Amino acid sequence: MTFAEPNRSPATFTKTRVQPAPQSGLCVTCLDGCPGPCEVGRSAMRGREVLYPQPYSKVTAGSEKDYPVDFSHFNIQGTCVGAIGAPADSDHATFPAVNVSTEVGATDKIRMKVPYFTGALGSTDIARIHWEAMAVAAAISGTLVVVGENVCGMDPAAEIKNGRVARSPEMERRVKTFQRWYDGEGGIVVQYNVEDGRLGVPEYVVDQLGVQIIEPKWGQGAKNIGGEVKLPTLERALQLKSRGYIVLPDPEDPVVQEAFKQGDFKEFERHSRLGMVEEEAFHKHVEHLRKIGAKHVSLKTGAYRPADLARAVK
Ligand code: SF4
């Protein structure tokens, strides 16, 4: 029994011609002359373009892998003796009166009215477009909202001086939107990856925007393979390369420029680098964050192997 659906996905607009073989995902009769609407067929023509969930910047994508264990296999068993979150009194233990507040942090706690917070909304258009609703909702709910990576680096209007961010209107908008509605519980977290660190994003947001919670990342974007966004113009590709990002194919190469202009390909890829975790260096990063004034430091990590989880917990 396979838990995934290889070779076809609504995320990449691919499908098979007939019923596929479960493990490879290839049609049980892969037909000579088939135009190839599956991932194998399309990627043979378009290469890694087919890796990316489409339409770009309009979707939030999730895995279709159907794990054999999920949250539906757990039941919350209540009790008829006592109460948690309200006094054990029939007149007071009512549904809207239950206190579900919590706090996070090792020593200096952050109070939260609710026991959940948002995922990170980074530099993608979908995150930018929906930021205001998420930030205001988080602020009035008394929870944390997280600004993901590359927001300053991807901001077309950002002012970069000597390789460091001097001002980012988009980051400013994000932080101020939250601060306008903040009433003392929850908070705004700003993550940073390798490029953000090089651009001085933590220093900028702490010093100039009053952010108190900074989150370094162990891996970012798609974790083990880094993050990628699409760039629709040559000018944008050149701008992001000049800000230190890896842009493929190289937009400074005249042959690539010519190919783009004549329509051989329609988008550049912007990749961000993988952080390399090393214990000593990580401690130094945290010390540095405290020195620049970050009140809280949290860590974002991915679904790595157990040894990496143990490192994070340690
Ligand atoms: S190329 Fe066509 S026949 Fe072959 S696996 Fe893909 S969809 Fe099926």
Side-chain angles (χ1 to χ4, degrees), residues 7 15-17 26-27 29-31 34 36-38 41:
N7 201 27
K15 57 184 180 187
T16 50
R17 188 181 56 83
L26 291 171
C27 293
T29 50
C30 182
L31 185 69
C34 170
C38 62

Side-chain angles (χ1 to χ4, degrees), residues 155-177:
D155 179 357
E159 293 163 27
I160 313 282
K161 289 189 183 143
N162 301 323
R164 311 279 287 178
V165 59
R167 183 166 178 251
S168 163
E170 175 58 16
M171 181 63 91
E172 211 172 281
R173 175 184 80 92
R174 294 202 188 197
V175 174
K176 287 189 174 160
T177 305

Side-chain angles (χ1 to χ4, degrees), residues 55-261:
Y56 173 66
S57 86
K58 299 267 185 240
V59 296
T60 299
S63 168
E64 290 164 284
K65 186 171 178 181
D66 192 2
Y67 286 90
V69 177
D70 63 42
F71 285 115
S72 74
H73 295 92
F74 294 94
N75 263 357
I76 297 174
Q77 307 288 172
T79 178
C80 54
V81 179
I84 296 168
D89 175 327
S90 304
D91 288 325
H92 291 97
T94 57
F95 169 68
V98 177
N99 179 1
V100 291
S101 67
T102 187
E103 54 188 21
V104 292
T107 49
D108 198 356
K109 310 277 187 192
I110 302 168
R111 294 273 316 150
M112 290 160 60
K113 281 188 200 151
V114 288
Y116 55 80
F117 56 91
T118 73
L121 280 82
S123 61
T124 58
D125 269 359
I126 194 109
R128 179 182 58 75
I129 291 163
H130 296 285
W131 175 261
E132 189 171 1
M134 292 290 283
V136 173
I140 62 180
S141 304
T143 189
L144 298 167
V145 68
V146 187
V147 182
E149 71 256 0
N150 299 319
V151 170
C152 295
M154 289 285 287
D155 179 357
E159 293 163 27
I160 313 282
K161 289 189 183 143
N162 301 323
R164 311 279 287 178
V165 59
R167 183 166 178 251
S168 163
E170 175 58 16
M171 181 63 91
E172 211 172 281
R173 175 184 80 92
R174 294 202 188 197
V175 174
K176 287 189 174 160
T177 305
F178 179 83
Q179 288 171 338
R180 202 173 304 130
W181 292 86
Y182 173 67
D183 71 353
E185 287 180 281
I188 182 165
V189 183
V190 174
Q191 295 185 336
Y192 75 100
N193 65 5
V194 173
E195 283 78 8
D196 292 319
R198 290 178 183 176
L199 285 167
V201 170
E203 292 82 352
Y204 168 65
V205 297
V206 170
D207 193 41
Q208 297 197 36
L209 303 180
V211 171
Q212 298 188 326
I213 315 169
I214 297 292
E215 187 163 276
K217 304 185 78 169
W218 285 4
Q220 58 85 56
K223 302 301 173 281
N224 295 296
I225 59 170
E228 175 192 339
V229 297
K230 303 285 192 186
L231 306 171
T233 66
L234 178 59
E235 293 66 37
R236 191 84 171 112
L238 287 166
Q239 180 187 53
L240 291 180
K241 183 166 181 195
S242 76
R243 290 181 180 180
Y245 287 99
I246 298 167
V247 180
L248 300 174
D250 182 359
E252 289 173 353
D253 183 334
V255 175
V256 169
Q257 292 187 357
E258 196 51 41
F260 184 75
K261 282 177 193 156

